[in-house]
Amino acid sequence: MSNRVSVYRREHFNAAHRLYNPSWSDEKNTAVFGKCNNHNYHGHNYDLEVKVTGTIDPETGYVMDLKVLSDLINEYVLDILDHKNLNLDIAYFKTVNPTAENICVFIYDILRKKIEENYDLQIRLYETERNYVEYPC
Ligand code: NI
């Protein structure tokens, strides 16, 4: 029997964004992104789910201490993104459209560097209750 188990930590942040492609006309941006292209931005309450898969440590019985995972997410993701305007405040999103897909990859790339290689990592990001993305898949 495998002793690999996935553990999850859910966190929350809110942020504003505007979806648009600067090389397109206003008309095309509105046609593609609709309300999400609102020039004065709009906000979302994002739910973030971080999944870490690894083997159970026989000494602790943990795959990973979820307090440690929570601290990593808070320090390296939430402190960066929470209550921010993603387009204006985050350098990465000056050239990358801050869609849920791109935010999810952004978060993965940050956390991948902070979590040891022997763990698998997957990020799920809910932009609304019904719309969510997952990376890697
Ligand atoms: Ni939006």
Side-chain angles (χ1 to χ4, degrees), residues 17 19 36 42-44 46 127:
H17 72 172
L19 301 184
C36 290
H42 65 277
H44 290 282
Y46 290 97
E127 192 169 71

Side-chain angles (χ1 to χ4, degrees), residues 24-64:
W24 291 350
S25 67
D26 256 5
E27 291 71 24
K28 183 165 182 185
N29 272 300
T30 300
V32 172
F33 296 114
K35 285 181 179 173
C36 290
N37 175 44
N38 177 36
H39 285 225
N40 291 328
Y41 309 96
H42 65 277
H44 290 282
N45 289 309
Y46 290 97
D47 277 316
L48 169 63
E49 208 170 81
V50 176
K51 174 185 180 184
V52 175
T53 304
T55 54
I56 299 174
D57 180 325
E59 289 188 323
T60 62
Y62 287 159
V63 170
M64 175 185 242

